[in-house]
Amino acid sequence: MGFVLRERWGAQPLWARCVLAVYLIGFAEGTGSHIADLVRGGIHAYASFPEIPLQVFFVSLVILDPLAAVLVGLVRREGIWLASVVMLLDVSANWWGNRHWLRDDPAQLLWLLPITVFGVFVVAFAVPLHHTVAGAASRSPVALPSG
């Protein structure tokens, strides 16, 4: 497995390895953040969001964030798409759940800037990264499982 993993990473151009590394860092940070929230607040850690679906989604990120990180780390195309979907939902849920700050205190929204920038980064690189990963898998001399 280690050889195949080195082959997958090594088959990527430098820009793609850098993007994959940023994905990994971002999803590792997200995993840690959501675990910390659950340790502090338990299953009701996101009770400040009045919408139950948002609360459920944020709790589910304890599974989705590390899953995306593992699939990205394995240089799987599924990981790129999962990362994009998770970030689209995460950014949207955060902005929707905190929309009251637009009226009450817009400066409070600055704390959404890092997640928004990361989300835009993930989505912006999804298609070129997918093509690069798919192309590298088809050119690899080692028989890699498709994906």
Side-chain angles (χ1 to χ4, degrees), residues 2 10 20 24 38 56 58 63 67 89 93 114 118 123 130 144:
L20 289 167
L24 286 172
L38 288 176
V56 171
F58 288 125
I63 303 296
L67 179 60
L89 293 172
F118 180 65
V123 172
H130 177 267
L144 300 175

Side-chain angles (χ1 to χ4, degrees), residues 3-26:
F3 177 74
V4 172
L5 193 53
R6 279 192 301 278
E7 281 287 319
R8 284 181 174 230
W9 275 87
Q12 304 308 314
L14 179 60
W15 73 264
R17 288 188 301 232
C18 290
V19 169
L20 289 167
V22 171
Y23 275 37
L24 286 172
I25 292 166

Side-chain angles (χ1 to χ4, degrees), residues 22-107:
V22 171
Y23 275 37
L24 286 172
I25 292 166
F27 282 99
E29 189 281 329
T31 299
S33 175
H34 291 289
I35 288 172
D37 288 346
L38 288 176
V39 166
R40 278 192 304 269
I43 196 73
H44 301 290
Y46 301 104
S48 64
F49 293 98
E51 299 89 355
I52 299 297
L54 289 182
Q55 294 175 30
V56 171
F57 172 72
F58 288 125
V59 169
S60 76
L61 288 175
V62 170
I63 303 296
L64 294 174
D65 279 352
L67 179 60
V70 166
L71 291 172
V72 166
L74 293 172
V75 193
R76 303 286 301 190
R77 290 174 288 186
E78 298 89 346
I80 297 164
W81 294 117
L82 178 61
S84 298
V85 169
V86 167
M87 287 314 302
L88 277 170
L89 293 172
D90 198 356
V91 170
S92 299
N94 269 289
W95 277 93
W96 179 257
N98 291 290
R99 68 192 180 283
H100 64 279
W101 291 115
L102 287 172
R103 181 187 65 247
D104 300 341
D105 186 6

